[in-house]
Amino acid sequence: MSERELRVSKIKDGTVIDHIRGGYALDVVNILGITGKEKRVMTIAVNVPSKRFGVKDIVKIEGKALNAEELNRIALVAPHASINFIKNYEVLEKFEVKLPQAIEGILKCQNPCCVVNNGEPVKPKFHVVHEEPMVLKCHYCGVSLEQADVFAQL
Ligand code: CTP
Ligand code: ZN
């Protein structure tokens, strides 16, 4: 993209979540628990042209390097997102998000009879049984959770 067309500027330090499927940036922000009240500079670009994907979304969070748990959350809603850690304007590290084998404490089990929904001090836990399309299975009751169910929980 030429300088004339530049939509969002480069950042000095922080994290750029790139190659999010067009229209899903707000889901990424949601699953990270970011509300905009954190006094952090953040840029969200939605449905911008991309050579590789037609359109894509981008989220730039300044002054913050996301941790492993946060990166796992992103994988649940944006399986091909690339993460760029920026330091002093340079891309220090670049990688794709990846679903962890087990997902703990982020998503709820949809089975009302599941032990995690019955007042026990048990954190919900899911295993990945299929990556694309994503299918998760509750560790406790075996009920499965699909991509659409994940979005519905946000
Ligand atoms: N970026 C940024 N601030 C910087 C450096 C990079 O916001 N100081 C952003 C770029 O705008 C881009 C992403 O981080 O969205 C990755 O940067 P870069 O690796 O330079 O771009 P590409 O080569 O296009 O990345 P890829 O090969 O992953 O598509
Ligand atoms: Zn369950």
Side-chain angles (χ1 to χ4, degrees), residues 102-149:
I103 293 130
E104 272 186 272
I106 301 170
L107 302 165
K108 294 193 243 29
C109 180
Q110 311 201 107
N111 171 9
C113 301
C114 182
V115 63
V116 300
N117 293 324
N118 283 288
E120 306 285 335
V122 185
K123 259 202 288 181
K125 179 173 173 177
F126 293 89
H127 299 284
V128 178
V129 291
H130 198 270
E131 292 205 5
E132 272 196 86
M134 190 177 76
V135 181
L136 310 176
K137 215 177 235 325
C138 176
H139 175 73
Y140 299 102
C141 72
V143 164
S144 57
L145 202 65
E146 297 182 4
Q147 186 75 73
D149 304 319

Side-chain angles (χ1 to χ4, degrees), residues 34-46:
I34 295 172
T35 64
K37 309 285 192 298
E38 294 84 6
K39 307 264 183 288
R40 229 179 256 298
V41 178
M42 181 166 68
T43 313
I44 302 175
V46 176

Side-chain angles (χ1 to χ4, degrees), residues 10 18 27 30-31 37 43 67 72 76 79-80 87 110 112 117 123 144 148-149:
K10 297 211 162 194
D18 200 355
D27 296 293
N30 261 337
I31 207 162
K37 309 285 192 298
T43 313
N67 62 35
N72 289 344
L76 289 168
H80 298 292
K87 187 113 186 136
Q110 311 201 107
N117 293 324
K123 259 202 288 181
S144 57
D149 304 319

Side-chain angles (χ1 to χ4, degrees), residues 31-32 34 64-75 97:
I31 207 162
L32 288 174
I34 295 172
K64 182 177 165 74
L66 297 181
N67 62 35
E69 204 268 338
E70 290 167 316
L71 298 176
N72 289 344
R73 284 175 178 258
I74 295 171
V97 293

Side-chain angles (χ1 to χ4, degrees), residues 47-113:
N47 291 325
V48 298
S50 152
K51 279 194 203 89
R52 235 189 293 174
F53 298 102
V55 293
K56 67 171 181 179
D57 289 5
I58 310 166
V59 174
K60 301 190 182 192
I61 304 166
E62 296 190 35
K64 182 177 165 74
L66 297 181
N67 62 35
E69 204 268 338
E70 290 167 316
L71 298 176
N72 289 344
R73 284 175 178 258
I74 295 171
L76 289 168
V77 294
H80 298 292
S82 38
I83 304 298
N84 300 270
F85 287 138
I86 313 292
K87 187 113 186 136
N88 205 19
Y89 291 104
E90 299 292 327
V91 178
L92 200 69
E93 242 185 291
K94 181 197 288 284
F95 51 88
E96 248 195 42
V97 293
K98 180 145 180 38
L99 277 176
Q101 282 186 325
I103 293 130
E104 272 186 272
I106 301 170
L107 302 165
K108 294 193 243 29
C109 180
Q110 311 201 107
N111 171 9
C113 301

